[in-house]
Amino acid sequence: MDKGDSGVDNPAFEIQDANHYDTKSSIHANGPGQEEKKGHPIANDRNKLAYTVTDVPPWYLCIFLGIQHYLTALGGIVAIPLILSKDLCLTHDPLTQSHLISTIFFVSGICTLLQVLFGVRLPILQGGTFTFLTPTLAMLSLPKWRCPEWTQNATLVNATSPEFVEVWQSRIREVQGAIMVASCFQIFVGFSGLIGFLMRFIGPLTIAPTITLIALPLFQSAGGDAGTHWGISAMTTFFIVLFSQYLRNVPLPIPYYSKSMRKWQCSKSYIFQIFPVLLGISISWLICYALTATNVFPSRPESYGYFARTDVKGNVLSEAPWFRFPYPGQWGIPTVSLEGVFGILAGVISSMVESVGDYHACARLSGAPPPPRHAINRGIGIEGIGCLLAGAWGTGNGTTSYSENVGALGITRVGSRMVIIVGGILMLIMGMFSKIGAVFATIPTPVIGGMFLVMFGVIAAVGMSNLQYADMNSSRNIFIVGFSIFCGLTIPNWVTNNTSLLQTGIVELDQVILVLLTTGMFVGGFLGFFLDNTIPGTKEERGIAAWKEINVEDEDDCSDVGDVYDLPFGFGTKCCTFSWLRYVPFCPKPKELPFVTHKNHELNGYTETKH
C-alpha cells in the first residue's frame, strides 16, 4: 500500500512523471526470496536516478530541489490551519491564523529533520495530517467548545481583547493536550514494534471507509467557503483541475546557462504537475486583487461577494512582525480531556497504517532497498514524537509523511535524503518569518473554498481506491463497505441533533461518547474493522493477501540496507554491535565485522544477523 492510494495528506495532487511511475505493481514482482532480475523495474528505476538516497548532490541543486519540495507540500500544510480557524473562533483574526501557519511550517521542518536523520532515514517530508481534522472538529463541536455567536461577527471581534484571546486559546490548548497524549500511543506502537502486529488486522475494508469519511463530512465547510463567491471558487477549481489533470504531461521549456558549453540552453520541466495548487491559487488570487482594485467586488461586508476582496484581511501583512520564533506552550499550558484523546486516537491509527505504505513507495522511488522492520518501527515512533512536538508547539494538528513529495521524487530523479534535509531546514526558516505566514492568511475565502472542493473530493476518492485490493464482486465486501460508510454519515448526524438522548449522568463519559459518535471516521472505520475481522472471508477476498504482497519485507536480499537505514553519525556501528540488540525493535541488526582468513587472506564482507 502506498500513500498515493491510501494516504490523505493532500493526495489530490499526487504526482506522476511523464513515464507514469507505478509505485505499487512493480514492488516485489518476483516475490519474496527471489532475486531481482536485471530487467526488474526496481533495478531499472535505480539506474535511472540521478542521485540515490545516500548520494549528496551539489549544494545549489540541494537548495533548488529543497525549495521545490517545500512548495509541493505547501498547499496541504496551509489548508489545515485555515480549516481549523473557524472552529477555533479565529474566522475574523487573520493575524493569529498567520501565526498558526508559521508554527505548522516550523514544526514540520523539525519533524522532517528528525525523520530523515533518526527515523526511517528515507527522503520523506513531514507535514500536517488530515486524519486529525475530523476528530478535532468533532471535539470542538461539543457544546462547551462551540464558538460564541459574537466571535463570528467581524464588527464585534477585537482580536487583542483578553476575552477574545482566552476564547480561542482555551480551545487550541484542549486540542494540544489531546494530540500530545494520543501521540504517546503512536510512540509506544512504533518503538515497541507493535505496528507489524496491528497491520495483520487492518486491511483495505477498514482503511477505505476511514479515509473516505475524513472528507465527506467536510462538505459543509467547503461549500460554505466556496459559497461566498461561486464564480471565484469555480475559477480556482478550474485552474487546479486544468493544471493537475489536463496539462500535467505538458512540459515547459526552462532556460538555463550551461557553464561547460558556455551558452544558454532549455530544459523541459513538468511545472504543471509539480505545482498545480500553488499555480491555481496564485492566478485566482491575482485576479481577485485586480477585481478588488477596480472595485468590482462590493465593499459592504453584508453583500454577496465581499469576502472575495483581497483587502478584507489586508491589514494582517502590516501587523505581522517580520520575525517570530514559535516555541512550546506559546498559547499556554495544554489541557487534557478524555473525550479529545479517544477521538484523536482514531486519527493516529489511520496515520500509522498509511505511513507504512508510504515508506515502501519512497524507498522504491529513491533507489533504496525495501525498509526493514527496525527502520519502519523507528519511522512510526519518530512520527509519534513529531505529533508530540506539534501538540507542544500548538499547531492544532499532528504530523505525518507527505505522499505528494514522494511522487515528486519520480519527477526529479533525485532520491537523495540530503535534498529533504535542506527542505526541512527551509521550512524551519520560513516558519520563523511571520510575514510569509501572513501572506497565506490573506488568501480570499472563495479561493480557499475552490481549493477545498478539489482536495476533499480527491481525499474521498483516494479512500475508495483502496478497494482495488479487495474482491468487490463479493457480496460480503460490498455489504461491509456500504454499511460502514453509510453509518459513518448517518450516526454522527443523528447524534449531533439528539445529544440529550445520550446523557448517562456522567459528564466525562457523555463527552467521550459524543466525540466518538460524531466522528464519522471513527464510526465507519470501527464498523469496517469489526465486520471485516468477524465475517468469514478469505485473505484474498478481503484484500489482505494483495496488501501483504505489496508491503512484504525483502530487505535481506539487498546488500546496501545498512548504508541506507543504519543510524547516523556512527551510532549504528558503535552502539548497535551487541547481539542482544537483535531483540530491540528499533535497532539495526547487529553486524559481524569483516575478517581475514588465515589461509588465503581474503577479506570477507560482514553478514547481518536475522531477527
Side-chain angles (χ1 to χ4, degrees):
M1 174 188 71
D2 80 51
K3 226 173 184 177
D5 288 303
S6 63
V8 298
D9 302 296
N10 198 10
F13 317 114
E14 183 74 17
I15 302 169
Q16 291 183 326
D17 66 351
N19 296 323
H20 300 286
Y21 269 64
D22 176 8
T23 58
K24 303 181 297 300
S25 59
S26 61
I27 297 180
H28 305 298
N30 294 329
Q34 293 185 30
E35 252 183 47
E36 284 182 338
K37 296 179 182 179
K38 192 173 182 181
H40 191 276
I42 296 178
N44 289 341
D45 288 345
R46 290 190 188 186
N47 293 334
K48 288 179 184 177
L49 289 171
Y51 298 95
T52 60
V53 62
T54 53
D55 295 334
V56 180
W59 64 269
Y60 54 86
L61 190 59
C62 285
I63 294 175
F64 176 78
L65 293 173
I67 293 173
Q68 177 177 264
H69 277 283
Y70 164 76
L71 294 175
T72 303
L74 186 144
I77 293 177
V78 170
I80 290 170
L82 296 177
I83 296 170
L84 288 173
S85 61
K86 183 178 179 181
D87 290 85
L88 290 173
C89 313
L90 294 173
T91 303
H92 301 294
D93 186 6
L95 181 60
T96 301
Q97 291 180 31
S98 73
H99 292 335
L100 284 176
I101 292 172
S102 297
T103 301
I104 199 170
F105 273 128
F106 184 82
V107 174
S108 297
I110 294 176
C111 296
T112 297
L113 294 177
L114 287 175
Q115 186 66 269
V116 177
L117 291 175
F118 302 103
V120 73
R121 303 221 66 209
L122 287 169
I124 197 162
L125 202 81
Q126 304 290 292
T129 170
F130 282 89
T131 59
F132 283 20
L133 272 183
T134 306
T136 300
L137 296 177
M139 180 175 67
L140 293 174
S141 68
L142 289 173
K144 68 174 180 177
W145 296 122
R146 286 176 187 161
C147 294
E149 289 295 329
W150 61 270
T151 61
Q152 305 304 311
N153 190 331
T155 59
L156 299 177
V157 171
N158 179 7
T160 58
S161 69
E163 182 184 6
F164 177 75
V165 171
E166 180 58 26
V167 164
W168 71 263
Q169 285 193 356
S170 62
R171 284 157 177 76
I172 198 168
R173 288 198 298 265
E174 187 76 4
V175 175
Q176 285 182 252
I179 291 173
M180 291 178 71
V181 175
S183 66
C184 295
F185 173 74
Q186 184 170 2
I187 294 172
F188 172 74
V189 168
F191 289 121
S192 66
L194 278 179
I195 184 63
F197 175 77
L198 291 177
M199 290 294 292
R200 298 178 187 175
F201 304 99
I202 299 175
L205 298 179
T206 301
I207 288 297
T210 302
I211 302 306
T212 301
L213 288 166
I214 289 174
L216 291 184
L218 295 174
F219 72 92
Q220 222 165 5
S221 174
D225 288 343
T228 55
H229 196 296
W230 278 108
I232 298 299
S233 300
M235 179 181 64
T236 305
T237 300
F238 167 76
F239 283 128
I240 294 176
V241 173
L242 177 68
F243 298 143
S244 64
Q245 303 301 321
Y246 292 98
L247 300 179
R248 61 181 179 178
N249 291 324
V250 177
L252 288 181
I254 306 296
Y256 70 97
Y257 182 76
S258 173
K259 290 184 178 179
S260 58
M261 303 187 69
R262 296 184 179 180
K263 65 177 182 179
W264 286 91
Q265 293 183 321
C266 281
S267 173
K268 292 183 178 180
S269 180
Y270 293 87
I271 298 295
F272 298 125
Q273 274 189 17
I274 306 173
F275 308 126
V277 185
L278 185 65
L279 290 172
I281 289 177
S282 300
I283 294 173
S284 297
W285 202 347
L286 289 173
I287 292 174
C288 285
Y289 177 79
L291 296 177
T292 301
T294 54
N295 286 320
V296 173
F297 294 135
S299 56
R300 299 175 61 186
E302 63 272 13
S303 300
Y304 178 80
Y306 169 76
F307 288 101
R309 296 181 65 93
T310 54
D311 57 1
V312 172
K313 308 173 185 177
N315 59 340
V316 68
L317 278 174
S318 58
E319 293 177 0
W322 277 103
F323 182 85
R324 180 181 178 274
F325 187 80
Y327 57 92
Q330 57 186 330
W331 318 129
I333 299 175
T335 57
V336 179
S337 62
L338 198 60
E339 66 273 13
V341 173
F342 274 95
I344 298 295
L345 275 176
V348 166
I349 294 172
S350 178
S351 178
M352 286 191 295
V353 174
E354 294 147 18
S355 292
V356 172
D358 211 358
Y359 298 157
H360 285 272
C362 184
R364 177 184 178 273
L365 288 179
S366 61
R373 289 186 184 89
H374 66 81
I376 292 176
N377 293 338
R378 282 203 315 272
I380 297 298
I382 291 294
E383 282 193 20
I385 293 176
C387 289
L388 185 67
L389 296 178
W393 256 265
T395 65
N397 199 250
T399 61
T400 192
S401 302
Y402 257 45
S403 58
E404 63 272 23
N405 291 83
V406 174
L409 299 175
I411 295 175
T412 62
R413 300 288 199 272
V414 176
S416 171
R417 58 185 167 215
M418 183 57 67
V419 169
I420 302 298
I421 289 175
V422 172
I425 294 172
L426 184 66
M427 294 171 79
L428 266 175
I429 296 172
M430 294 302 178
M432 290 187 286
F433 284 94
S434 296
K435 292 288 186 185
I436 295 174
V439 168
F440 294 117
T442 61
I443 300 174
T445 303
V447 175
I448 296 171
M451 177 183 69
F452 287 169
L453 291 177
V454 179
M455 186 177 295
F456 295 161
V458 178
I459 288 174
V462 163
M464 297 302 294
S465 71
N466 286 276
L467 298 177
Q468 66 183 296
Y469 303 111
D471 179 11
M472 292 314 295
N473 290 319
S474 164
S475 59
R476 169 195 184 274
N477 293 350
I478 290 175
F479 164 73
I480 293 174
V481 174
F483 182 74
S484 300
I485 293 178
F486 194 75
C487 287
L489 294 172
T490 305
I491 293 175
N493 182 65
W494 183 88
V495 172
T496 301
N497 297 321
N498 299 273
T499 55
S500 59
L501 298 178
L502 294 175
Q503 292 180 356
T504 63
I506 304 173
V507 177
E508 291 77 11
L509 180 60
D510 291 346
Q511 292 174 345
V512 171
I513 294 173
L514 201 58
V515 168
L516 292 180
L517 293 185
T518 54
T519 304
M521 182 182 74
F522 170 78
V523 175
F526 174 77
L527 288 174
F529 173 81
F530 176 77
L531 295 173
D532 188 34
N533 285 281
T534 54
I535 298 177
T538 63
K539 289 186 177 181
E540 288 75 15
E541 183 182 17
R542 297 170 58 193
I544 299 291
W547 213 337
K548 186 177 180 181
E549 183 181 349
I550 290 168
N551 286 328
V552 69
E553 296 180 19
D554 195 19
E555 68 270 19
D556 293 316
D557 290 339
C558 300
S559 60
D560 53 347
V561 169
D563 296 334
V564 176
Y565 297 108
D566 271 3
L567 291 170
F569 313 122
F571 289 152
T573 54
K574 295 176 183 177
C575 305
C576 298
T577 56
F578 301 103
S579 60
W580 58 268
L581 286 174
R582 73 181 66 183
Y583 303 108
V584 179
F586 54 88
C587 271
K589 296 179 179 181
K591 300 170 183 176
E592 296 177 8
L593 297 177
F595 63 92
V596 178
T597 61
H598 293 287
K599 291 184 178 180
N600 52 17
H601 298 284
E602 290 180 353
L603 185 66
N604 293 327
Y606 68 76
T607 59
E608 293 188 309
T609 308
K610 294 185 178 181
H611 281 294

